[in-house]
Amino acid sequence: MAKSFDQKSFFWVALLVLIASVMSYSYGFRVGERKESYTFLRVINGDTFSVESNKGKTEKKVRLLGIDAPKTGECASESAKEKLEILIGSGKFAINKVGDDNFGNTVANVLISDGDIAEKLLVEGLAKVDDGAKDNIGFELKPKEEYLRVLRVAENKARMDKIGIWSK
C-alpha cells in the first residue's frame, strides 16, 4: 500500500513540475539563459530600477513589464518604491528582457527566487496592470496574454482585499 502511495505522489509531483515548466516557457521566462549578469544599484520608482552590467560596467534602467506603479507624490508611491527595493535588493534576480522603450529603458520580466516581482507588487496593491494598450509602443513590448491573465488575477486579489491603491 505504501508503495502505491509513493507512485501516486511521484506522479503528481512530476505532473506539477511539467505544468510549471510549460507555463514558465509560455511566459517567456528562461532563467539561466541570461547572457549578462547585473548588480542592483537603486530603485527609481515603484516599477523601475537601475542596475550595472557586470560585463561592461554600464548603468541600465529596467522597467517591469505589465505593470504601472504610482508615480512620485501619488497614493502608495513610496510604499511601492520601498517594496521594490526590498524585493530586488534581497538577492539574486533574473532579468528577462523583452525590449527597450522610447526612453531607452530595458523592459523586462524580473524574477527572484520566489516568483515574479510585478505579480508581487500587484498582490499588495502597489501597482496596476498595464497591458500597453494606451501606450504608443511596439507589439514586442506588450505583455503576452497568458502573462496578463496572471497579473490580472494578482491585481484582482488586491482589489478584493482593498489594499494599497485599492484601499479607498
Side-chain angles (χ1 to χ4, degrees):
M1 189 73 169
K3 187 173 185 178
S4 173
F5 177 76
D6 289 338
Q7 289 174 342
K8 286 181 182 178
S9 296
F10 177 78
F11 170 77
W12 287 112
V13 169
L15 182 62
L16 287 172
V17 168
L18 177 64
I19 290 169
S21 298
V22 169
M23 288 178 66
S24 293
Y25 183 78
S26 71
Y27 293 154
F29 301 151
R30 295 186 184 101
V31 178
E33 284 188 18
R34 209 176 58 215
K35 296 176 182 141
E36 206 170 337
S37 62
Y38 299 95
T39 301
F40 168 71
L41 295 176
R42 68 185 169 285
V43 169
I44 296 162
N45 61 40
D47 57 27
T48 307
F49 61 95
S50 184
V51 294
E52 180 179 66
S53 166
N54 294 336
K55 189 176 180 180
K57 298 292 182 189
T58 57
E59 185 174 338
K60 292 183 178 191
K61 288 182 184 176
V62 178
R63 185 171 188 285
L64 298 172
L65 177 70
I67 67 167
D68 186 28
K71 303 303 175 226
T72 304
E74 295 178 352
C75 173
S77 64
E78 282 304 310
S79 297
K81 187 175 176 180
E82 289 169 9
K83 185 64 177 183
L84 180 56
E85 186 153 7
I86 289 167
L87 292 169
I88 196 73
S90 64
K92 293 183 179 182
F93 55 91
I95 297 173
N96 297 303
K97 182 177 178 176
V98 175
D100 293 316
D101 66 14
N102 296 335
F103 304 104
N105 300 328
T106 294
V107 178
N109 296 106
V110 181
L111 303 175
I112 55 176
S113 62
D114 64 340
D116 183 295
I117 289 181
E119 185 178 358
K120 291 182 177 304
L121 291 168
L122 288 165
V123 165
E124 294 195 25
L126 299 174
K128 295 178 182 179
V129 173
D130 180 6
D131 63 5
K134 69 180 186 320
D135 301 324
N136 187 18
I137 61 173
F139 175 76
E140 69 280 356
L141 293 182
K142 293 183 180 179
K144 293 179 181 178
E145 194 55 43
E146 298 90 4
Y147 184 56
L148 282 172
R149 273 186 241 145
V150 170
L151 296 182
R152 286 185 184 117
V153 167
E155 179 185 81
N156 287 336
K157 177 168 182 1
R159 283 180 187 242
M160 297 288 288
D161 293 344
K162 297 184 188 298
I163 58 174
I165 59 177
W166 310 111
S167 63
K168 292 185 180 185

